[in-house]
Amino acid sequence: MAEKITAYRFNHLDDTLSQLNKEDCAIMAGGTDVMVLHKSGRGVPPKIPKPLIFINHLSELKQVYQNQKDLHIGACCTYSELLEHPLIPKPLKNAIKTIAAPAIRNRGTLGGNICNASPAGDTLPLLYVYNAKLLLRSVNGDRLVAISDFIQGPRRVQRFHNEILAEIILPSVLEEGAYVVFEKVGNRNADAIAKVGFAGFIRINGARIEDVRFAFGAVGPTMVRSSDIEKTLVGKTIPLADADIAQVVAAFDKIIRPIDDQRSTALYRKTVALNLLRYFLSMKQYQPN
């Protein structure tokens, strides 16, 4: 006989937060990562060591709205919902299209992708270059955390047991003038775990670089990004000189430290990551998204 699991499904976020404050629960949104993490043998229900609390139905966690130039995305918005929403930027939609199959996109959530904290998380490189901030909510109030501080390692995040990730905030993402790209390298165009993920962000005034950001996925325990390296390009003009490109690529070569696993080799991952960066920097012009 299968073990009984205690599960909660409240109609309102406040009641959910109240229960989380009383008891440490496993949070279930889409479940596409939780069910895999705790899977058992064929025909055997997953063994989840904590009580479950369902949040995917809560309307408070499924809003998408604009506040001045910031974009707020509810953590329980599914990928399919985000693909259809007019406020979601095109580069993020392009990333979502590479995630799994339609059935998974109908269940999986943006918040789940973040809280799973996989080094190969498909949306994470983009969220890093968008300087995403995460709104965590509990009975004690709200807490705002940068995504780079929230994700601390594979499946390790800075979330207290009584908190829920409520919103993902993309600062100034709706501001005109930025060019953003996303590239995922895998065995297939979709429904494949990334061997390498790359996102690039650049904003230019005339021919001069005002802001530039890069993030790499699946080449380290967390996303690889360096504001110090990025700053070396601010103020330079497009097209970049070969020496400037070589300097940035060499700097990232020192901090990108992938591993060998069943999906790819460390050498392949580093080579592809640096080639994607080099190609992005070598562009003669950038058209705003």
Side-chain angles (χ1 to χ4, degrees):
M1 182 179 293
E3 295 182 17
K4 290 184 178 180
I5 298 176
T6 300
Y8 305 101
R9 188 181 188 275
F10 299 101
N11 291 328
H12 301 288
L13 179 57
D14 286 347
D15 296 328
T16 304
L17 295 175
S18 179
Q19 186 62 39
L20 280 176
N21 199 54
K22 299 174 187 174
E23 188 175 15
D24 186 13
C25 298
I27 295 176
M28 178 75 78
T32 57
D33 289 316
V34 173
M35 297 299 283
V36 172
L37 179 63
H38 297 289
K39 68 180 179 181
S40 302
R42 185 181 298 240
V44 180
K47 295 181 179 179
I48 300 175
K50 300 177 182 179
L52 279 174
I53 193 161
F54 290 88
I55 65 170
N56 63 306
H57 61 290
L58 295 172
S59 60
E60 299 99 322
L61 303 179
K62 296 179 75 69
Q63 307 298 316
V64 179
Y65 62 95
Q66 183 177 350
N67 183 2
Q68 297 182 350
K69 292 179 179 179
D70 296 348
L71 179 63
H72 293 243
I73 304 173
C76 281
C77 290
T78 67
Y79 300 124
S80 295
E81 289 167 342
L82 295 179
L83 280 174
E84 299 298 322
H85 202 286
L87 284 179
I88 300 302
K90 185 177 179 181
L92 185 52
K93 289 186 177 182
N94 289 340
I96 289 170
K97 289 175 183 176
T98 71
I99 296 174
I104 296 296
R105 292 200 291 267
N106 289 342
R107 290 288 304 173
T109 64
L110 185 59
N113 201 223
I114 295 168
C115 290
N116 189 48
S118 167
D122 289 309
T123 66
L124 300 186
L126 267 177
L127 295 178
Y128 269 64
V129 299
Y130 278 138
N131 287 332
K133 296 180 181 179
L134 307 179
L135 181 68
L136 295 150
R137 184 162 291 161
S138 72
V139 295
N140 301 319
D142 291 349
R143 186 166 67 97
L144 204 60
V145 183
I147 191 171
S148 55
D149 293 328
F150 182 74
I151 296 176
Q152 300 180 327
R155 301 191 190 282
R156 290 195 300 111
V157 297
Q158 191 197 91
R159 184 187 70 83
F160 300 119
H161 79 85
N162 67 339
E163 289 182 319
I164 281 179
L165 173 57
E167 290 184 353
I168 299 94
I169 303 171
L170 306 185
S172 300
V173 72
L174 300 174
E175 188 173 8
E176 297 293 331
Y179 175 75
V180 185
V181 301
F182 169 79
E183 296 289 345
K184 172 183 172 179
V185 178
N187 288 335
R188 297 177 294 276
N189 288 335
D191 203 11
I193 300 174
K195 295 181 179 183
V196 179
F198 171 77
F201 174 108
I202 192 166
R203 190 174 66 246
I204 300 170
N205 186 356
R208 191 174 299 277
I209 297 175
E210 285 188 332
D211 193 5
V212 64
R213 310 166 198 167
F214 316 107
F216 303 83
V219 294
T222 61
M223 298 300 104
V224 175
R225 187 181 168 196
S226 171
S227 58
D228 289 337
I229 299 174
E230 294 166 356
K231 288 175 184 175
T232 64
L233 291 175
V234 175
K236 296 187 181 296
T237 56
I238 297 298
L240 286 168
D242 290 343
D244 291 329
I245 296 173
Q247 181 180 3
V248 172
V249 171
F252 273 105
D253 185 25
K254 295 178 181 178
I255 65 173
I256 290 176
R257 299 186 182 93
I259 61 171
D260 294 317
D261 64 16
Q262 66 271 24
R263 295 196 309 277
S264 190
T265 66
L267 177 60
Y268 176 84
R269 285 189 162 111
K270 176 174 275 196
T271 301
V272 170
L274 295 178
N275 283 344
L276 289 169
L277 174 62
R278 188 179 291 108
Y279 178 78
F280 181 76
L281 294 174
S282 300
M283 296 180 70
K284 298 296 188 291
Q285 61 180 11
Y286 299 88
Q287 298 296 328
N289 294 112

